[in-house]
Amino acid sequence: MERLHWVRHRCRQMLLGSSGRGWYSTPDGMPSETSMETHSSAQRDRGKRRTVFAPDDTRQQEVESVFNSYKGNAICTTKYTWLTFIPMNLFEQFHRVANLYFLFLALLNWVPVVEAFQREITMIPLVLVLTVIAIKDALENYRRYLFDRKVNNNMVQAFCGKQKAYIYQCWKDVRVGDFVRLSCNEIIPADLLLLYSSDPRGVCYIDTANLDGENNLKQRQVVPDLPLEGLEFTAESFNCRVECENPNNDLSRFRGYMEHPSGVRVGLHNSNLLLRSCTIRNTETVVGIVVYAGHDTKAMMNNSGPRYKRSQLEKHLNTDILWCVLLLIIMCLTAAIGHGLWLKNHKEAVFQVNKEMSPAMAGFYVFWTMIIVLQVLIPISLYVSIEIVKLGQIYFIHNDLALYNQQLDSRIQCRALNITEDLGQIQYLFSDKTGTLTENKMVFRRCSIYGVEYPHEENAHRLEVYEAEKVEPAVRSVTLKSGCSGRSLSCKHSTVSLNTLTAQEEEDQLSSHSLPQTSAFCSSVTKEVVPDPELVRKLNWFCSSVLADSSSGSATSLELTYIIDFFLALVICNSVVVSSPSQPGHVVSGSNFGVQEVEDASKTEHSETEDHLKGAWTNLEGPGEIVEEPTRDMDGKRDRDDELLYEAESPDEAALVHAAHAYRCTLRGRSAEGLLVDLPGMGPLAVQLLHILPFDSNRKKMSVVVRHPLTGQVVVYTKGADSVIMDQTPKGSEQTQDIYNHIREQTQNHLDSYARQGLRTLCIARKVLEEEEYEVWLKGQQLAESSIEDREELLLEAAQRLETNLTLLGTTGIVDQLQEDVPETIEALQKAGIKVWILTGDKQETAINVGYACKLLCPNDQLLTADCGSKDAYAALLEELKVEEQCGDDSLSPAGEAAPGFILVLDGLTLEWALQKEQRSNFLELSRRCKAVICCRSTPLQKSKVVQLIQDQLGVMTLAVGDGANDVSMIQMAGVGIGISGQEGMQAVMSSDFAISRFKHLRKLLLVHGRWCYTRLANMILYFIYKNVMYVNLLFWYQFFCGFSGSVMTNAWVLILFNLIFTSIPPLVYGVLDRDTPAHSLMELPELYSQVQTSKVYIPDMFWITVLDAFYQSLICFFVPYFAVAGSSVSELSFGSPINASALLIVLLHHVIESHTLTWIHVLVLVLSGGLYFGFVLLFSLFCVTCSPPTNPVGVETLEMNQPLFYIICVVTTVTALLPRLFLRALYNTLHPSAVLKSAGMDEVDSETYRRNMQRWNLIHSRANKLPLCADNSGLEASTA
């Protein structure tokens, strides 16, 4: 039968045209291939996998030929060497079009016919920009070099074949095939296949915080069925061959097998792999063989550096740069045509010209000359300035105290350095629910077993008291994770045995962690579950001797069987790691527990435990004593149980394990082969663990296959979503089916009730396997596990064959409280014009309940629910919903009342229909008219498709926020991705553009920093374009008076440095520090966020208005001095002196007019800019004789500045040029009072309040020898941004 399954799978691959891809080991019981066939297969698929085996002196040449093709363990993250730095850096910089443009101009100026300035002068802008960027790259490269050298020179113990012993080697000398021995707290130098662990269970624990940021320990296990000689691992005895997949960046996947000399193959999994950068914990010694080294390791392949995205503003800027290029070409063509006509019409030229050259050719040369003269119209420094401004913006965002989480010591991370302004343009926000809107701190609330509901009323009261205590201190934030981890007693020194730690060392370690002993996801509110009295009473029956005398077919016996199986499933159907500070190695070893030994021990302790439990549970029959009696009667046992520390990979698992522990169903130890559990009345029991089928988003469930400790049967325990378990139907008689249908009907009612209360539901089920059925399934599972190609598909098929005909045991309801300030944040975002969508995998009722709780839904909102089983039904329903939505709008519009919002709710199957091509337009039309959309039962792929659909079809800026690995695709798809560093690891953070610790931080990040970043950068770009166009036009107007010859009225140095140096710093300060509206106004008036989107600070209209204003100011700046000196005998440099000075003053004062914030920094920069210009031109005119041939600037500026006319011209020109802009600005603010003016009154109130508070504070602390804060500094804020 298994052979037919294998053949069927291979035939299907052949039909799909991928027969060459499949490469599997044969299952047990099937004929194995010969060694020759295996060798030929290895040669055929060499490019798709790698072979690893231990070095052997007898086949040294073969070893070298194989391993030389693999990368060494030395890493090199630097981009350059001393020899390649200059050529490679220049090559990279000249990939930028702007740099190529200015290189072309510099080379063009070397052509004598079109030369405009000194050849060296035109090189200055390009050389300056290239030098600054090269210095930055060199410093970054050197920093990387120092880091690489430090990492490569770390020491590790590697096996030396010549010396037959482990010796210390540098990391860089380790290579594939080497045996590496590590001790506790040592960092793993390469990706190792775990071959030996000092833990008798064959497991070790690793801390992956350096890799993925997760704090909970991960368990890894030795490759099973490893032929070892004795208990200790010896490298000389290892003769196996490892075949595994080629290096990849998937941290959660490892495919391969180990082939023993006998030809037997053992499948390899991710649980057998120790990843580079992780740290060994709680294990004295491990030995592994290197399979991936250096840049082939998964850690290095995931090291992609900062994310790069192009913002919408950059895309618009590129369009405007093209308009500037077109404007430059028009101006140059005008000059070329004018010069040709001038030569043609003026036979006796006033200026010296080449009479042998035709007017057309002269005009052609002037065109290129003017390209050089007017080159500053294309702002080469703008791109560099934008990068500097964004770094400044990120600095202030990063250091905003309002975005800092003191409990976690975590602040916002800006991983994408160039899309800060997109935060101010968000129109759609897509959010996960669990862990994003909620705490993801799961607390057991209630359960249903055998169709009977246990409400746990006292437990509910405990949670209400906890919530009331939590919100009492207004400034206290909720802790996401406990400050004390389950690995608080990790080994101090890697070379010290865990068993040799002295009592004093243990005492010191314990004293350093005096906080309550908790672990990841295990806060006190999670652990302290108050049992339900009715369920306690039934478990008390189980502890009595009545059960032993009752017939197995009675209703009471069946119900108690369901109850025990339910709690047994909660205890063992997980991946929780158990540890304890009282055990060596800080781990509840259970290492010496064999199945038979513990069964024997449990028999001897059964009577004593039974009597103890009887006495403990007898007093619990009274409901009023349920809270206090367990604590009073079972103090000794509770103290012993509380020593257990659970390291869970998800908060759901921790909550369920602690709930079972409250009923004395306790998980005490875990190994690769079994678990040690306590059951009421049974004492310690060993459960043989046969298989674990981990949770995945396709199956939506997790299963464990165990041998039942009491019956010896093979049992499958499963927990998962109700959508995949409630439809299961077990095999059995008609009477059994009737009982089961009743249980399922009652459980479904309880599920619906839990969902309406906003609880997270999880169904528990089981299935008993016959031995023959299990053996057949086992062969298919082993086939899948030993596969390299298409392994995931085969494992999925095997799991689906097992997880059928499940018997429903019950369901759990877990409460997950909202994070603080989530309702206020969502309400503010909606007022800001941002549409909020919730994309969750939870039930529809749960999502709707959370929607009401977080104020996404209002009581008067109308729900439009789409829950369809077919495409046709969806299309018909969608039309009905559209009509209903239109009727709702029409019915309320005549009355003039505000129409209630419509909320569209879709389940996963309906969403699948909506995303299909033919239905997208209708779905988009309806969703656009809805206030919000809730997508339930959605998969990670569906989340990303929804984001992509809205982003592509509507052309809007989207933001996705999530906290788990299932949100990664959605985060990466959105225009801005935000990860929350919550309880589900750091996958979302690592894939995001920005990382925050709480959902409430979105409010200030978007409404304040997003708006500031957008308005600052947009206004800075417009200002940059303005000053360049304005100054270039001065040179262009002069061409009308010099025969369009390309001459200029200023020296070339001032011409080049005017935009590059003299006026380059004020825009940077403007882009980093300007605040058009105070932070508190933006927080209190979210509508101001949408005003920026509607007014669109940076749009084509504003670009052309800015250009026209620059034209006007250039006309004033040129012609006022022109008419002032008309008819005189001033030189061209004397004529240009007041023009340059006036242009500088106009540009700087224009900056003052446009700035909404003026600080001492602004004043200092403006003064320095002006002082730098006047200081330069004065020194230039005093000492530079031959700096600017053919003109001589000596004495020009000193002479001009000694004449009153110079200052009169500057004042008249500046006032005339800026007066219209000042008048229009005042008129606009009068007719349209903005939030700036409205917030001025608020600032006065806040300033006075601040002054009184500070005076009161100084008075109270006047006796405390502290410097009082200045009460006059009314502008002081927590965030300087």
Side-chain angles (χ1 to χ4, degrees), residues 492-542:
K492 280 191 173 182
H493 305 286
S494 59
T495 57
V496 179
S497 169
L498 289 170
N499 298 317
T500 61
L501 288 175
T502 63
Q504 181 62 38
E505 287 175 333
E506 293 185 3
E507 182 179 352
D508 293 341
Q509 292 175 4
L510 282 169
S511 63
S512 65
H513 294 276
S514 58
L515 295 175
Q517 296 168 351
T518 56
S519 58
F521 314 122
C522 298
S523 62
S524 59
V525 68
T526 303
K527 296 173 63 176
E528 298 170 0
V529 178
V530 181
D532 185 87
E534 179 64 21
L535 193 52
V536 167
R537 186 173 60 85
K538 292 180 179 179
L539 279 173
N540 194 32
W541 294 346
F542 180 79

Side-chain angles (χ1 to χ4, degrees), residues 1183-1197:
F1183 302 105
C1184 195
V1185 179
T1186 60
C1187 296
S1188 183
T1191 59
N1192 185 0
V1194 172
V1196 172
E1197 296 294 340

Side-chain angles (χ1 to χ4, degrees), residues 58-173:
T58 60
R59 46 177 184 171
Q60 186 68 26
Q61 185 175 0
E62 180 184 356
V63 171
E64 293 294 334
S65 63
V66 173
F67 289 169
N68 285 342
S69 62
Y70 302 149
K71 293 182 179 180
N73 201 44
I75 63 168
C76 179
T77 60
T78 58
K79 297 171 62 177
Y80 317 104
T81 65
W82 293 107
L83 296 177
T84 62
F85 174 73
I86 293 179
M88 285 188 62
N89 189 262
L90 289 177
F91 178 77
E92 290 181 354
Q93 292 202 54
F94 282 120
H95 273 72
R96 299 177 180 176
V97 178
N99 290 345
L100 287 176
Y101 167 75
F102 280 92
L103 176 63
F104 168 73
L105 292 182
L107 297 177
L108 187 64
N109 195 59
W110 285 68
V111 178
V113 181
V114 297
E115 180 182 359
F117 313 122
Q118 287 178 267
R119 297 173 180 177
E120 298 81 5
I121 294 179
T122 54
M123 302 288 292
I124 292 176
L126 181 63
V127 171
L128 183 61
V129 172
L130 294 180
T131 302
V132 171
I133 296 178
I135 292 174
K136 177 184 72 70
D137 292 341
L139 293 176
E140 174 66 18
N141 196 69
Y142 183 67
R143 186 186 65 82
R144 289 174 176 267
Y145 165 75
L146 294 178
F147 175 78
D148 292 345
R149 186 175 65 177
K150 178 181 178 182
V151 171
N152 289 331
N153 290 328
N154 286 337
M155 303 301 292
V156 69
Q157 295 185 70
F159 184 78
C160 178
K162 295 182 180 180
Q163 301 182 21
K164 305 297 182 182
Y166 288 93
I167 63 173
Y168 279 96
Q169 292 184 356
C170 293
W171 279 23
K172 62 183 178 182
D173 298 326

Side-chain angles (χ1 to χ4, degrees), residues 125 550 596 1045 1205:
S550 62
Q596 186 61 41
S1045 59
L1205 182 61

